[in-house]
Amino acid sequence: MQSQNSLFREQGFIHLSREACKLAMADVEQALSRLCTLAHGDKSGASGIVSVFEASNPDLLCRIEYLAGSDAWFADTLVPQLQRLVEQQVGQAVNLFKDKCNFKHPGGGGFTPHQDVVAYRPFGSDYQVTAAVMLDAANAANGALEMARIWGCGEDEGVWVDTPRGRQVLLPSYQGGARNGDIGDRFSSTMQWQRVDAQPGDVILFDSYIPHRSSPNSSRSTRRILFFTFNLASEGDFYHQYYQRKWATPDDPLFHVSTPTRHSALSGNNQR
Ligand SMILES: O=C(O)CCC(=O)C(=O)O
């Protein structure tokens, strides 16, 4: 059987079962519920929690962010556990870069094909790994994550970057417009997508070069996933800088890469 590290290295993602991760899910739920209560009563945004609503329905919450910055249990207990899981795969120390809970309520929108590195590279970090913690079962009906391999990209296309997982490519993508962040069609149209169905407590680790997407939630129940993104510690500590910028310019398209949310550059649709 292939070792977990070599699977992550080869695929760019790995699905860890709840039995393997042993996260205290009741505590996770309690911490999230504290944050939801705080976010709900804080229309001014003074708590620092970032609430982002769906473009198609301004009453439907898409996500909240700044979890570890807002709750000591996330910062002191969950983040170090996830950090260790990521470090085991990457073989290097990592720091928390950003965090969020995507709610994907019934009717919530999907995420079009993208690479997360598009949204993080402008901060000066070239490689990130996200730990996605399932709070609800994720499946075809409610919009589970889907991953794909990159193939057919020449040396002169995209931007090639040396990473702990070998050379990876940042594919050409759309900038601004309704397709902001989406991988160029020449690449995404021929990708074969693998849906990763998962159970509450499972963790999917994926790096920021792996193309991924998800469908809208067409079921009757909410599909929540927590996402904790880590960068290589050798590149620095970005968490506070990242949120300073997000608080100042929440509508910057950089914070809306292939998401079902609204940003400030909705006219134009330029592929770079
Ligand atoms: O929550 C989802 O379904 C997908 C999330 C995602 O792709 C992202 O936030 O980059």
Side-chain angles (χ1 to χ4, degrees), residues 164-224:
R165 210 164 64 72
R167 284 188 86 221
Q168 298 297 325
V169 65
L170 170 54
L171 295 167
S173 59
Y174 288 88
Q175 240 188 334
R179 301 191 63 191
N180 180 53
D182 290 4
I183 294 170
D185 298 339
R186 179 172 113 56
F187 295 99
S188 61
S189 62
T190 55
M191 285 175 179
Q192 294 196 341
W193 295 93
Q194 178 184 349
R195 202 183 67 239
V196 189
D197 288 353
Q199 296 304 315
D202 290 1
V203 176
I204 299 170
L205 302 179
F206 61 100
D207 89 3
S208 50
Y209 289 81
I210 179 139
H212 60 287
R213 70 177 188 184
S214 67
S215 299
N217 185 353
S218 57
S219 79
R220 289 193 192 170
S221 47
T222 295
R223 185 238 63 185
R224 300 161 306 153

Short mmCIF file of all heavy atoms in Angstrom, two decimals, residues 164-224:
data_model
loop_
_atom_site.label_atom_id
_atom_site.label_comp_id
_atom_site.label_asym_id
_atom_site.label_seq_id
_atom_site.Cartn_x
_atom_site.Cartn_y
_atom_site.Cartn_z
N PRO A 164 7.43 22.00 -2.13
CA PRO A 164 7.82 20.76 -1.42
C PRO A 164 7.27 19.52 -2.14
O PRO A 164 7.70 18.41 -1.86
CB PRO A 164 7.15 20.92 -0.05
CG PRO A 164 6.96 22.38 0.12
CD PRO A 164 6.71 22.93 -1.25
N ARG A 165 6.34 19.71 -3.05
CA ARG A 165 5.76 18.59 -3.81
C ARG A 165 6.32 18.57 -5.23
O ARG A 165 5.70 18.06 -6.16
CB ARG A 165 4.23 18.75 -3.81
CG ARG A 165 3.48 17.45 -3.90
CD ARG A 165 2.04 17.64 -3.51
NE ARG A 165 1.27 18.50 -4.40
CZ ARG A 165 0.89 18.17 -5.63
NH1 ARG A 165 1.19 17.00 -6.14
NH2 ARG A 165 0.18 19.03 -6.33
N GLY A 166 7.51 19.14 -5.40
CA GLY A 166 8.12 19.20 -6.72
C GLY A 166 7.62 20.41 -7.50
O GLY A 166 6.96 21.30 -6.95
N ARG A 167 7.94 20.45 -8.79
CA ARG A 167 7.53 21.62 -9.60
C ARG A 167 6.03 21.55 -9.88
O ARG A 167 5.52 20.53 -10.34
CB ARG A 167 8.29 21.63 -10.93
CG ARG A 167 9.72 22.09 -10.76
CD ARG A 167 10.39 22.27 -12.08
NE ARG A 167 10.17 23.58 -12.64
CZ ARG A 167 9.91 23.84 -13.90
NH1 ARG A 167 9.82 22.86 -14.78
NH2 ARG A 167 9.75 25.08 -14.32
N GLN A 168 5.35 22.65 -9.56
CA GLN A 168 3.91 22.72 -9.81
C GLN A 168 3.65 23.94 -10.68
O GLN A 168 4.44 24.87 -10.70
CB GLN A 168 3.15 22.87 -8.48
CG GLN A 168 3.32 21.71 -7.54
CD GLN A 168 2.78 20.40 -8.12
OE1 GLN A 168 1.78 20.39 -8.83
NE2 GLN A 168 3.45 19.30 -7.83
N VAL A 169 2.51 23.90 -11.40
CA VAL A 169 2.22 25.01 -12.30
C VAL A 169 0.95 25.76 -11.88
O VAL A 169 -0.06 25.15 -11.52
CB VAL A 169 2.14 24.54 -13.77
CG1 VAL A 169 0.97 23.60 -14.01
CG2 VAL A 169 2.06 25.73 -14.72
N LEU A 170 1.10 27.07 -11.91
CA LEU A 170 -0.05 27.96 -11.74
C LEU A 170 -0.59 28.20 -13.14
O LEU A 170 0.08 28.80 -13.98
CB LEU A 170 0.44 29.25 -11.08
CG LEU A 170 -0.48 30.45 -10.99
CD1 LEU A 170 -1.79 30.07 -10.33
CD2 LEU A 170 0.20 31.54 -10.18
N LEU A 171 -1.78 27.66 -13.42
CA LEU A 171 -2.36 27.70 -14.77
C LEU A 171 -2.89 29.10 -15.10
O LEU A 171 -3.24 29.86 -14.19
CB LEU A 171 -3.51 26.70 -14.86
CG LEU A 171 -3.12 25.23 -14.70
CD1 LEU A 171 -4.36 24.35 -14.50
CD2 LEU A 171 -2.33 24.76 -15.93
N PRO A 172 -2.99 29.42 -16.40
CA PRO A 172 -3.64 30.69 -16.76
C PRO A 172 -5.06 30.71 -16.21
O PRO A 172 -5.74 29.67 -16.20
CB PRO A 172 -3.67 30.64 -18.30
CG PRO A 172 -2.66 29.61 -18.68
CD PRO A 172 -2.58 28.63 -17.56
N SER A 173 -5.49 31.87 -15.73
CA SER A 173 -6.83 31.95 -15.14
C SER A 173 -7.47 33.29 -15.48
O SER A 173 -6.80 34.21 -15.94
CB SER A 173 -6.76 31.77 -13.62
OG SER A 173 -5.95 32.77 -13.06
N TYR A 174 -8.77 33.40 -15.25
CA TYR A 174 -9.50 34.65 -15.50
C TYR A 174 -9.24 35.62 -14.35
O TYR A 174 -9.13 35.22 -13.21
CB TYR A 174 -11.00 34.38 -15.59
CG TYR A 174 -11.39 33.67 -16.86
CD1 TYR A 174 -11.38 32.28 -16.93
CD2 TYR A 174 -11.76 34.39 -17.99
CE1 TYR A 174 -11.73 31.62 -18.09
CE2 TYR A 174 -12.11 33.73 -19.16
CZ TYR A 174 -12.09 32.35 -19.21
OH TYR A 174 -12.45 31.71 -20.36
N GLN A 175 -9.17 36.90 -14.71
CA GLN A 175 -8.95 37.94 -13.71
C GLN A 175 -10.08 38.94 -13.79
O GLN A 175 -10.31 39.51 -14.86
CB GLN A 175 -7.65 38.67 -14.04
CG GLN A 175 -6.66 38.58 -12.94
CD GLN A 175 -5.47 39.47 -13.23
OE1 GLN A 175 -5.15 39.77 -14.36
NE2 GLN A 175 -4.81 39.90 -12.16
N GLY A 176 -10.81 39.14 -12.70
CA GLY A 176 -11.96 40.04 -12.72
C GLY A 176 -13.15 39.38 -13.41
O GLY A 176 -13.07 38.23 -13.85
N GLY A 177 -14.24 40.10 -13.44
CA GLY A 177 -15.43 39.58 -14.13
C GLY A 177 -16.10 38.45 -13.37
O GLY A 177 -15.70 38.08 -12.27
N ALA A 178 -17.11 37.90 -14.01
CA ALA A 178 -17.92 36.87 -13.35
C ALA A 178 -17.14 35.58 -13.16
O ALA A 178 -17.54 34.72 -12.37
CB ALA A 178 -19.17 36.62 -14.18
N ARG A 179 -16.03 35.43 -13.92
CA ARG A 179 -15.28 34.17 -13.80
C ARG A 179 -13.95 34.39 -13.08
O ARG A 179 -13.01 33.59 -13.26
CB ARG A 179 -15.06 33.59 -15.20
CG ARG A 179 -16.39 33.32 -15.90
CD ARG A 179 -16.18 32.51 -17.15
NE ARG A 179 -15.63 31.20 -16.83
CZ ARG A 179 -15.15 30.36 -17.75
NH1 ARG A 179 -15.16 30.70 -19.01
NH2 ARG A 179 -14.67 29.19 -17.39
N ASN A 180 -13.88 35.41 -12.26
CA ASN A 180 -12.63 35.74 -11.57
C ASN A 180 -12.00 34.52 -10.89
O ASN A 180 -12.62 33.88 -10.05
CB ASN A 180 -12.93 36.81 -10.50
CG ASN A 180 -11.70 37.21 -9.74
OD1 ASN A 180 -10.69 37.58 -10.33
ND2 ASN A 180 -11.76 37.12 -8.42
N GLY A 181 -10.75 34.22 -11.28
CA GLY A 181 -10.01 33.13 -10.65
C GLY A 181 -10.13 31.80 -11.37
O GLY A 181 -9.30 30.91 -11.16
N ASP A 182 -11.14 31.64 -12.21
CA ASP A 182 -11.35 30.33 -12.84
C ASP A 182 -10.16 29.94 -13.73
O ASP A 182 -9.63 30.78 -14.47
CB ASP A 182 -12.59 30.35 -13.76
CG ASP A 182 -13.88 30.44 -12.97
OD1 ASP A 182 -13.83 30.56 -11.74
OD2 ASP A 182 -14.94 30.38 -13.62
N ILE A 183 -9.82 28.68 -13.68
CA ILE A 183 -8.78 28.15 -14.55
C ILE A 183 -9.24 28.30 -16.01
O ILE A 183 -10.42 28.10 -16.32
CB ILE A 183 -8.55 26.65 -14.24
CG1 ILE A 183 -7.97 26.50 -12.83
CG2 ILE A 183 -7.65 25.99 -15.28
CD1 ILE A 183 -7.92 25.07 -12.32
N GLY A 184 -8.30 28.67 -16.89
CA GLY A 184 -8.62 28.84 -18.31
C GLY A 184 -9.29 27.59 -18.87
O GLY A 184 -8.94 26.46 -18.52
N ASP A 185 -10.25 27.81 -19.76
CA ASP A 185 -11.06 26.70 -20.28
C ASP A 185 -10.23 25.64 -21.01
O ASP A 185 -10.57 24.46 -20.98
CB ASP A 185 -12.13 27.24 -21.25
CG ASP A 185 -13.08 28.19 -20.55
OD1 ASP A 185 -13.16 28.12 -19.32
OD2 ASP A 185 -13.71 29.00 -21.23
N ARG A 186 -9.15 26.07 -21.67
CA ARG A 186 -8.34 25.10 -22.40
C ARG A 186 -7.87 23.97 -21.47
O ARG A 186 -7.74 22.83 -21.88
CB ARG A 186 -7.12 25.80 -23.02
CG ARG A 186 -6.21 24.86 -23.78
CD ARG A 186 -5.14 25.60 -24.53
NE ARG A 186 -3.80 25.36 -24.02
CZ ARG A 186 -3.23 24.19 -23.88
NH1 ARG A 186 -3.87 23.08 -24.17
NH2 ARG A 186 -1.99 24.08 -23.43
N PHE A 187 -7.64 24.32 -20.21
CA PHE A 187 -7.19 23.30 -19.25
C PHE A 187 -8.36 22.66 -18.52
O PHE A 187 -8.45 21.45 -18.41
CB PHE A 187 -6.21 23.94 -18.26
CG PHE A 187 -4.96 24.40 -18.93
CD1 PHE A 187 -4.79 25.73 -19.27
CD2 PHE A 187 -3.98 23.49 -19.28
CE1 PHE A 187 -3.66 26.15 -19.93
CE2 PHE A 187 -2.83 23.91 -19.94
CZ PHE A 187 -2.67 25.25 -20.27
N SER A 188 -9.28 23.49 -18.02
CA SER A 188 -10.33 22.91 -17.16
C SER A 188 -11.30 22.02 -17.94
O SER A 188 -11.86 21.08 -17.39
CB SER A 188 -11.10 23.99 -16.41
OG SER A 188 -11.74 24.86 -17.31
N SER A 189 -11.45 22.29 -19.26
CA SER A 189 -12.46 21.53 -20.01
C SER A 189 -12.06 20.07 -20.21
O SER A 189 -12.93 19.23 -20.45
CB SER A 189 -12.72 22.20 -21.36
OG SER A 189 -11.53 22.18 -22.10
N THR A 190 -10.77 19.77 -20.10
CA THR A 190 -10.37 18.37 -20.33
C THR A 190 -10.00 17.65 -19.02
O THR A 190 -9.51 16.53 -19.03
CB THR A 190 -9.16 18.30 -21.28
OG1 THR A 190 -8.13 19.12 -20.72
CG2 THR A 190 -9.52 18.78 -22.68
N MET A 191 -10.21 18.33 -17.90
CA MET A 191 -9.84 17.69 -16.62
C MET A 191 -10.85 16.61 -16.24
O MET A 191 -12.04 16.74 -16.53
CB MET A 191 -9.79 18.74 -15.50
CG MET A 191 -8.56 19.59 -15.58
SD MET A 191 -8.59 20.91 -14.35
CE MET A 191 -7.01 21.67 -14.71
N GLN A 192 -10.35 15.57 -15.56
CA GLN A 192 -11.25 14.54 -15.05
C GLN A 192 -11.40 14.76 -13.56
O GLN A 192 -10.41 14.75 -12.83
CB GLN A 192 -10.66 13.18 -15.33
CG GLN A 192 -10.62 12.93 -16.82
CD GLN A 192 -10.41 11.49 -17.17
OE1 GLN A 192 -9.94 10.71 -16.35
NE2 GLN A 192 -10.76 11.13 -18.39
N TRP A 193 -12.64 14.96 -13.13
CA TRP A 193 -12.89 15.38 -11.75
C TRP A 193 -13.21 14.18 -10.87
O TRP A 193 -13.98 13.32 -11.26
CB TRP A 193 -14.03 16.41 -11.71
CG TRP A 193 -13.62 17.66 -12.42
CD1 TRP A 193 -13.84 17.96 -13.75
CD2 TRP A 193 -12.87 18.74 -11.89
NE1 TRP A 193 -13.27 19.18 -14.05
CE2 TRP A 193 -12.67 19.68 -12.93
CE3 TRP A 193 -12.34 19.02 -10.63
CZ2 TRP A 193 -11.97 20.87 -12.73
CZ3 TRP A 193 -11.65 20.21 -10.44
CH2 TRP A 193 -11.47 21.12 -11.49
N GLN A 194 -12.59 14.19 -9.70
CA GLN A 194 -12.83 13.10 -8.73
C GLN A 194 -13.54 13.71 -7.51
O GLN A 194 -12.96 14.56 -6.82
CB GLN A 194 -11.46 12.52 -8.31
CG GLN A 194 -11.55 11.44 -7.29
CD GLN A 194 -10.16 10.97 -6.84
OE1 GLN A 194 -9.14 11.32 -7.44
NE2 GLN A 194 -10.12 10.21 -5.78
N ARG A 195 -14.78 13.31 -7.29
CA ARG A 195 -15.52 13.83 -6.13
C ARG A 195 -15.05 13.11 -4.88
O ARG A 195 -14.89 11.89 -4.89
CB ARG A 195 -17.02 13.64 -6.35
CG ARG A 195 -17.86 14.58 -5.50
CD ARG A 195 -19.33 14.35 -5.65
NE ARG A 195 -19.72 13.07 -5.10
CZ ARG A 195 -20.31 12.10 -5.77
NH1 ARG A 195 -20.64 12.25 -7.04
NH2 ARG A 195 -20.59 10.96 -5.19
N VAL A 196 -14.84 13.89 -3.80
CA VAL A 196 -14.36 13.29 -2.56
C VAL A 196 -15.49 13.33 -1.53
O VAL A 196 -15.63 14.30 -0.78
CB VAL A 196 -13.10 14.02 -2.03
CG1 VAL A 196 -12.48 13.26 -0.86
CG2 VAL A 196 -12.06 14.21 -3.14
N ASP A 197 -16.31 12.30 -1.52
CA ASP A 197 -17.38 12.21 -0.53
C ASP A 197 -16.73 11.99 0.84
O ASP A 197 -15.71 11.30 0.94
CB ASP A 197 -18.31 11.04 -0.85
CG ASP A 197 -19.18 11.33 -2.06
OD1 ASP A 197 -19.14 12.48 -2.56
OD2 ASP A 197 -19.88 10.42 -2.52
N ALA A 198 -17.30 12.57 1.87
CA ALA A 198 -16.63 12.49 3.18
C ALA A 198 -17.66 12.56 4.30
O ALA A 198 -18.80 12.95 4.10
CB ALA A 198 -15.64 13.65 3.30
N GLN A 199 -17.22 12.14 5.48
CA GLN A 199 -18.07 12.08 6.68
C GLN A 199 -17.65 13.14 7.70
O GLN A 199 -16.49 13.56 7.69
CB GLN A 199 -17.92 10.70 7.34
CG GLN A 199 -18.41 9.55 6.49
CD GLN A 199 -19.86 9.74 6.08
OE1 GLN A 199 -20.71 10.10 6.90
NE2 GLN A 199 -20.14 9.54 4.80
N PRO A 200 -18.56 13.53 8.59
CA PRO A 200 -18.17 14.50 9.63
C PRO A 200 -16.95 14.00 10.40
O PRO A 200 -16.89 12.83 10.77
CB PRO A 200 -19.41 14.54 10.54
CG PRO A 200 -20.54 14.09 9.68
CD PRO A 200 -19.98 13.13 8.68
N GLY A 201 -15.98 14.87 10.61
CA GLY A 201 -14.76 14.49 11.32
C GLY A 201 -13.63 14.10 10.39
O GLY A 201 -12.46 14.09 10.79
N ASP A 202 -13.94 13.77 9.14
CA ASP A 202 -12.87 13.49 8.16
C ASP A 202 -12.14 14.80 7.84
O ASP A 202 -12.72 15.89 7.94
CB ASP A 202 -13.44 12.98 6.83
CG ASP A 202 -14.04 11.57 6.93
OD1 ASP A 202 -14.03 10.99 8.03
OD2 ASP A 202 -14.49 11.06 5.88
N VAL A 203 -10.89 14.66 7.43
CA VAL A 203 -10.11 15.84 7.02
C VAL A 203 -9.54 15.57 5.63
O VAL A 203 -8.97 14.50 5.39
CB VAL A 203 -8.94 16.10 8.02
CG1 VAL A 203 -8.07 17.25 7.53
CG2 VAL A 203 -9.49 16.42 9.41
N ILE A 204 -9.71 16.52 4.75
CA ILE A 204 -9.08 16.43 3.43
C ILE A 204 -7.96 17.48 3.40
O ILE A 204 -8.22 18.66 3.64
CB ILE A 204 -10.09 16.70 2.29
CG1 ILE A 204 -11.21 15.65 2.34
CG2 ILE A 204 -9.40 16.67 0.93
CD1 ILE A 204 -12.38 15.95 1.42
N LEU A 205 -6.73 17.02 3.18
CA LEU A 205 -5.61 17.95 3.04
C LEU A 205 -5.37 18.14 1.55
O LEU A 205 -5.27 17.15 0.81
CB LEU A 205 -4.34 17.38 3.67
CG LEU A 205 -4.40 17.02 5.16
CD1 LEU A 205 -3.05 16.45 5.61
CD2 LEU A 205 -4.76 18.24 6.00
N PHE A 206 -5.31 19.38 1.09
CA PHE A 206 -5.02 19.60 -0.34
C PHE A 206 -4.14 20.82 -0.50
O PHE A 206 -4.26 21.79 0.25
CB PHE A 206 -6.31 19.71 -1.17
CG PHE A 206 -7.24 20.83 -0.80
CD1 PHE A 206 -7.26 22.01 -1.54
CD2 PHE A 206 -8.12 20.71 0.27
CE1 PHE A 206 -8.14 23.05 -1.22
CE2 PHE A 206 -8.98 21.74 0.61
CZ PHE A 206 -8.99 22.91 -0.14
N ASP A 207 -3.25 20.74 -1.49
CA ASP A 207 -2.37 21.90 -1.65
C ASP A 207 -2.96 22.89 -2.63
O ASP A 207 -3.97 22.64 -3.29
CB ASP A 207 -0.92 21.48 -1.90
CG ASP A 207 -0.55 21.28 -3.35
OD1 ASP A 207 -1.37 21.50 -4.24
OD2 ASP A 207 0.59 20.86 -3.58
N SER A 208 -2.32 24.06 -2.70
CA SER A 208 -2.94 25.18 -3.38
C SER A 208 -2.77 25.15 -4.90
O SER A 208 -3.22 26.06 -5.59
CB SER A 208 -2.38 26.49 -2.82
OG SER A 208 -0.97 26.44 -2.81
N TYR A 209 -2.10 24.10 -5.41
CA TYR A 209 -1.95 23.98 -6.87
C TYR A 209 -2.97 23.00 -7.44
O TYR A 209 -3.15 22.94 -8.66
CB TYR A 209 -0.52 23.54 -7.23
CG TYR A 209 0.45 24.67 -6.98
CD1 TYR A 209 0.93 24.93 -5.69
CD2 TYR A 209 0.84 25.53 -8.00
CE1 TYR A 209 1.77 25.99 -5.42
CE2 TYR A 209 1.69 26.61 -7.75
CZ TYR A 209 2.14 26.82 -6.46
OH TYR A 209 2.96 27.90 -6.22
N ILE A 210 -3.62 22.23 -6.58
CA ILE A 210 -4.54 21.22 -7.12
C ILE A 210 -5.84 21.90 -7.58
O ILE A 210 -6.48 22.62 -6.82
CB ILE A 210 -4.82 20.09 -6.10
CG1 ILE A 210 -5.79 19.10 -6.72
CG2 ILE A 210 -5.40 20.57 -4.80
CD1 ILE A 210 -5.46 17.71 -6.44
N PRO A 211 -6.20 21.68 -8.86
CA PRO A 211 -7.47 22.24 -9.33
C PRO A 211 -8.62 21.61 -8.54
O PRO A 211 -8.64 20.38 -8.35
CB PRO A 211 -7.53 21.80 -10.80
CG PRO A 211 -6.11 21.54 -11.17
CD PRO A 211 -5.47 20.99 -9.92
N HIS A 212 -9.54 22.42 -8.07
CA HIS A 212 -10.71 21.87 -7.39
C HIS A 212 -11.93 22.73 -7.69
O HIS A 212 -11.82 23.85 -8.19
CB HIS A 212 -10.47 21.70 -5.88
CG HIS A 212 -10.14 22.96 -5.16
ND1 HIS A 212 -8.93 23.60 -5.27
CD2 HIS A 212 -10.86 23.73 -4.29
CE1 HIS A 212 -8.92 24.68 -4.52
NE2 HIS A 212 -10.08 24.79 -3.91
N ARG A 213 -13.07 22.16 -7.39
CA ARG A 213 -14.35 22.83 -7.64
C ARG A 213 -15.39 22.16 -6.77
O ARG A 213 -15.11 21.14 -6.11
CB ARG A 213 -14.74 22.71 -9.13
CG ARG A 213 -15.10 21.30 -9.51
CD ARG A 213 -15.56 21.17 -10.96
NE ARG A 213 -16.07 19.82 -11.19
CZ ARG A 213 -16.48 19.36 -12.35
NH1 ARG A 213 -16.43 20.12 -13.43
NH2 ARG A 213 -16.96 18.14 -12.44
N SER A 214 -16.63 22.65 -6.76
CA SER A 214 -17.73 21.94 -6.09
C SER A 214 -19.03 22.45 -6.67
O SER A 214 -19.10 23.56 -7.20
CB SER A 214 -17.68 22.14 -4.57
OG SER A 214 -17.95 23.48 -4.25
N SER A 215 -20.08 21.62 -6.57
CA SER A 215 -21.39 21.98 -7.13
C SER A 215 -22.21 22.77 -6.12
O SER A 215 -21.92 22.74 -4.92
CB SER A 215 -22.17 20.70 -7.44
OG SER A 215 -21.49 19.95 -8.38
N PRO A 216 -23.27 23.43 -6.61
CA PRO A 216 -24.22 24.05 -5.68
C PRO A 216 -24.85 22.99 -4.78
O PRO A 216 -24.82 21.80 -5.12
CB PRO A 216 -25.28 24.66 -6.61
CG PRO A 216 -24.65 24.73 -7.96
CD PRO A 216 -23.64 23.62 -8.02
N ASN A 217 -25.42 23.45 -3.67
CA ASN A 217 -26.11 22.51 -2.78
C ASN A 217 -27.57 22.37 -3.22
O ASN A 217 -28.37 23.27 -3.01
CB ASN A 217 -26.03 23.03 -1.34
CG ASN A 217 -26.63 22.05 -0.35
OD1 ASN A 217 -27.22 21.04 -0.75
ND2 ASN A 217 -26.48 22.34 0.94
N SER A 218 -27.87 21.23 -3.83
CA SER A 218 -29.25 21.02 -4.29
C SER A 218 -30.03 20.15 -3.31
O SER A 218 -31.13 19.70 -3.61
CB SER A 218 -29.24 20.39 -5.68
OG SER A 218 -28.51 19.19 -5.64
N SER A 219 -29.44 19.90 -2.13
CA SER A 219 -30.14 19.07 -1.13
C SER A 219 -30.94 19.99 -0.19
O SER A 219 -30.92 21.21 -0.34
CB SER A 219 -29.13 18.26 -0.31
OG SER A 219 -28.55 19.08 0.67
N ARG A 220 -31.55 19.38 0.80
CA ARG A 220 -32.35 20.18 1.74
C ARG A 220 -31.60 20.51 3.01
O ARG A 220 -32.15 21.06 3.95
CB ARG A 220 -33.61 19.42 2.10
CG ARG A 220 -34.56 19.36 0.95
CD ARG A 220 -35.87 18.88 1.49
NE ARG A 220 -36.74 18.55 0.38
CZ ARG A 220 -37.88 17.94 0.52
NH1 ARG A 220 -38.27 17.58 1.71
NH2 ARG A 220 -38.63 17.67 -0.51
N SER A 221 -30.33 20.05 3.10
CA SER A 221 -29.61 20.37 4.34
C SER A 221 -28.28 21.06 4.04
O SER A 221 -27.75 20.96 2.94
CB SER A 221 -29.41 19.12 5.19
OG SER A 221 -28.95 18.09 4.37
N THR A 222 -27.80 21.73 5.07
CA THR A 222 -26.58 22.52 4.95
C THR A 222 -25.35 21.60 4.91
O THR A 222 -25.33 20.58 5.58
CB THR A 222 -26.51 23.49 6.15
OG1 THR A 222 -27.59 24.40 6.02
CG2 THR A 222 -25.22 24.25 6.23
N ARG A 223 -24.36 21.98 4.13
CA ARG A 223 -23.09 21.24 4.08
C ARG A 223 -21.98 22.17 4.54
O ARG A 223 -21.55 23.03 3.79
CB ARG A 223 -22.82 20.77 2.64
CG ARG A 223 -21.59 19.90 2.49
CD ARG A 223 -20.57 20.46 1.51
NE ARG A 223 -20.03 21.73 1.94
CZ ARG A 223 -19.19 22.46 1.20
NH1 ARG A 223 -18.83 22.06 0.01
NH2 ARG A 223 -18.72 23.63 1.66
N ARG A 224 -21.53 21.99 5.79
CA ARG A 224 -20.51 22.89 6.33
C ARG A 224 -19.12 22.24 6.29
O ARG A 224 -18.98 21.05 6.61
CB ARG A 224 -20.82 23.26 7.79
CG ARG A 224 -22.17 23.97 7.99
CD ARG A 224 -22.61 23.88 9.44
NE ARG A 224 -22.62 22.49 9.87
CZ ARG A 224 -22.45 22.08 11.13
NH1 ARG A 224 -22.29 22.94 12.09
NH2 ARG A 224 -22.47 20.80 11.40
#
